[in-house]
Amino acid sequence: MAIILKLDEVMLKRKMSLKELSEQVGVANVNLSKIKTGKVSAIRFSTLNEICRVLECQPGDILQYTDDD
């Protein structure tokens, strides 16, 4: 099982910088950078909620499941 984070794609479509998203979500730039690059093993629902609110998207726009097979 692999979960792929597509935050960078959604941010690009919305023309939003990491700094701008960080300020609006209220999460440190470094933490959002880790989410953006997929270097996290967990994400709080409250953080995901704020990201989706700011980017006006659904969690499925940011998270994608792929089978390892």
Side-chain angles (χ1 to χ4, degrees), residues 7 9 16 19 22-24 31-32 35 46 49 52 55:
L7 180 59
E9 293 176 24
M16 185 171 289
K19 181 179 184 285
S22 172
E23 290 170 354
Q24 291 188 34
N31 292 335
L32 277 182
I35 294 170
S46 59
N49 183 69
C52 289
L55 293 175

Side-chain angles (χ1 to χ4, degrees), residues 1-4 64-69:
M1 169 179 84
I3 301 293
I4 298 169
Q64 178 183 0
Y65 169 79
T66 59
D67 197 355
D68 285 343
D69 294 340

Side-chain angles (χ1 to χ4, degrees), residues 7 11 16-36 40 42-55 62:
L7 180 59
M11 288 172 59
M16 185 171 289
S17 71
L18 190 62
K19 181 179 184 285
E20 186 179 0
L21 183 61
S22 172
E23 290 170 354
Q24 291 188 34
V25 170
V27 174
N29 212 354
V30 66
N31 292 335
L32 277 182
S33 180
K34 288 179 182 178
I35 294 170
K36 184 179 170 191
V40 293
I43 182 171
R44 292 178 186 259
F45 279 134
S46 59
T47 302
L48 182 59
N49 183 69
E50 284 303 301
I51 290 170
C52 289
R53 181 186 63 77
V54 170
L55 293 175
I62 297 171

